[in-house]
Amino acid sequence: MEKKIHLSLCNVDLRPLDHKDVLNISRLLNLKVNTHYATSKSSADADNVFEKEKRDYIYCLEKSLQTNASYVLMIEDDDTLPHTDLFNVLPHVLDFRLTFLKKQSTECSDQFLYMKLYHPKSISTYLSKEPNRIPELFSLGFLIGAFMVRLNMCLTTMSTKQLYMTWLCSFLYVILVVIAVGRPNLLELRRISKFLYNVVPAPSCCTPAMVFTQKGGNVVINYLTKVHCARNYGKDSAIDTLRQGSSHGLKAFYIEPNLVQHIGLVSAVRLRDKDPYVS
């Protein structure tokens, strides 16, 4: 069956009719525009940009879910540029990889909470609080270290003691080299094929590009409606708090390497410039 893709713009500007970019793009591409007009409640929170951002996100996600789409891809326009592999990798992951994960585990479902397509490279290193990073680092050390020892055994004769010392030195050497090269740079090798992209439990932070299912999207909307966002608790923190809970029974995933690029240099919410060398 041929799948249909519905594309729309969500205009949440304070003066939506003055947002010329949205108006021009919608005419050029003949797109539907969902316009969020200010209400008395949103006007009361006009000074709280974090609460406004959350309400805008709820509105846009609700409008997208009303199309009854199987999946909704929410991309924030001010800081996200899709990678060229996006529409090649994402359908493969949704149609095949998740089906495989579901067969391997009863905890995996077609109705996941959300799937992230972006995570900042600056916090994607091996030295991170994410539980899979250190085992991943050690696995590389064991695997490549064992290969180096095997290569040495083919070239020279070693005693048992020399064998252990060679393996230990190789293990430590590989770990140091891998850390120096950087995990984000090594992940770029996975772009060789869509089959090499990895699906892992979603890390914390950031929502520039998210895929929602109908069930997951509604769970997120219901939760965000009940919380209040402020400077130290933005919508991404609220969504992360939801992810860490277990009452909804849904998993959250992340596709690595990133399928979108962060291109924003000025934060419209925090009103400060971003370091262009940290993405």
Side-chain angles (χ1 to χ4, degrees), residues 78-141:
D78 62 335
D79 60 358
T80 306
L81 178 67
H83 193 274
T84 54
D85 283 347
L86 174 62
F87 293 108
N88 183 33
V89 174
L90 187 56
H92 169 74
V93 170
L94 295 176
D95 292 340
F96 299 105
R97 294 291 293 277
L98 285 184
T99 301
F100 175 77
L101 289 174
K102 185 179 180 181
K103 291 179 179 179
Q104 297 297 311
S105 172
T106 56
E107 295 182 352
C108 184
S109 169
D110 292 334
Q111 295 293 321
F112 51 83
L113 184 61
Y114 59 78
M115 180 175 289
K116 288 189 174 186
L117 306 186
Y118 172 82
H119 189 57
K121 291 183 179 180
S122 57
I123 54 176
S124 296
T125 62
Y126 288 109
L127 305 180
S128 165
K129 65 179 181 179
E130 299 300 332
N132 64 311
R133 303 289 170 79
I134 295 300
E136 181 182 325
L137 176 63
F138 281 7
S139 296
L140 282 173

Side-chain angles (χ1 to χ4, degrees), residues 126 136-149 166-182 186:
Y126 288 109
E136 181 182 325
L137 176 63
F138 281 7
S139 296
L140 282 173
F142 278 116
L143 181 63
I144 303 178
F147 174 78
M148 294 173 67
V149 170
T166 301
W167 178 85
L168 179 60
C169 291
S170 299
F171 173 76
L172 295 175
Y173 175 76
V174 170
I175 284 182
L176 291 175
V177 169
V178 165
I179 292 176
V181 172
L186 291 175

Side-chain angles (χ1 to χ4, degrees), residues 27-265:
R27 293 193 193 103
L28 180 65
L29 300 179
N30 193 27
L31 297 177
K32 178 184 177 182
V33 179
N34 297 316
T35 304
H36 190 195
Y37 293 96
T39 62
S40 57
K41 192 170 186 180
S42 61
S43 298
D45 289 318
D47 293 334
N48 184 352
V49 293
F50 298 93
E51 180 64 14
K52 181 186 182 308
E53 182 191 31
K54 184 207 74 174
R55 294 187 190 281
D56 291 342
Y57 201 83
I58 291 174
Y59 170 82
C60 295
L61 183 54
E62 277 183 332
K63 286 296 183 180
S64 298
L65 290 174
Q66 286 173 6
T67 64
N68 291 321
S70 299
Y71 302 103
V72 170
L73 170 58
M74 293 272 290
I75 295 184
E76 299 172 15
D77 69 311
D78 62 335
D79 60 358
T80 306
L81 178 67
H83 193 274
T84 54
D85 283 347
L86 174 62
F87 293 108
N88 183 33
V89 174
L90 187 56
H92 169 74
V93 170
L94 295 176
D95 292 340
F96 299 105
R97 294 291 293 277
L98 285 184
T99 301
F100 175 77
L101 289 174
K102 185 179 180 181
K103 291 179 179 179
Q104 297 297 311
S105 172
T106 56
E107 295 182 352
C108 184
S109 169
D110 292 334
Q111 295 293 321
F112 51 83
L113 184 61
Y114 59 78
M115 180 175 289
K116 288 189 174 186
L117 306 186
Y118 172 82
H119 189 57
K121 291 183 179 180
S122 57
I123 54 176
S124 296
T125 62
Y126 288 109
L127 305 180
S128 165
K129 65 179 181 179
E130 299 300 332
N132 64 311
R133 303 289 170 79
I134 295 300
E136 181 182 325
L137 176 63
F138 281 7
S139 296
L140 282 173
F142 278 116
L143 181 63
I144 303 178
F147 174 78
M148 294 173 67
V149 170
R150 181 60 181 173
L151 187 61
N152 271 300
M153 290 174 62
C154 294
L155 299 176
T156 182
T157 302
M158 293 184 293
S159 64
T160 302
K161 184 177 181 180
Q162 288 176 321
L163 185 65
Y164 284 126
M165 288 302 299
T166 301
W167 178 85
L168 179 60
C169 291
S170 299
F171 173 76
L172 295 175
Y173 175 76
V174 170
I175 284 182
L176 291 175
V177 169
V178 165
I179 292 176
V181 172
R183 185 173 181 273
N185 295 322
L186 291 175
L187 284 175
E188 290 298 310
L189 296 174
R190 290 183 176 272
R191 297 195 191 277
I192 296 174
S193 169
K194 65 181 180 181
F195 299 101
L196 296 180
Y197 278 76
N198 201 17
V199 179
V200 298
S204 59
C205 178
C206 313
T207 58
M210 306 267 282
V211 177
F212 295 94
T213 59
Q214 283 286 331
K215 183 177 180 180
N218 282 303
V219 169
V220 170
I221 288 172
N222 291 335
Y223 181 79
L224 289 180
T225 304
K226 299 174 185 177
V227 300
H228 186 79
C229 291
R231 173 167 293 277
N232 294 321
Y233 193 71
K235 78 173 189 311
D236 54 338
S237 298
I239 292 175
D240 194 48
T241 301
L242 172 64
R243 172 185 66 89
Q244 295 172 359
S246 57
S247 58
H248 47 76
L250 298 176
K251 298 291 183 179
F253 299 103
Y254 162 55
I255 302 177
E256 57 182 9
N258 292 333
L259 284 174
V260 299
Q261 304 173 53
H262 195 287
I263 58 175
L265 291 180

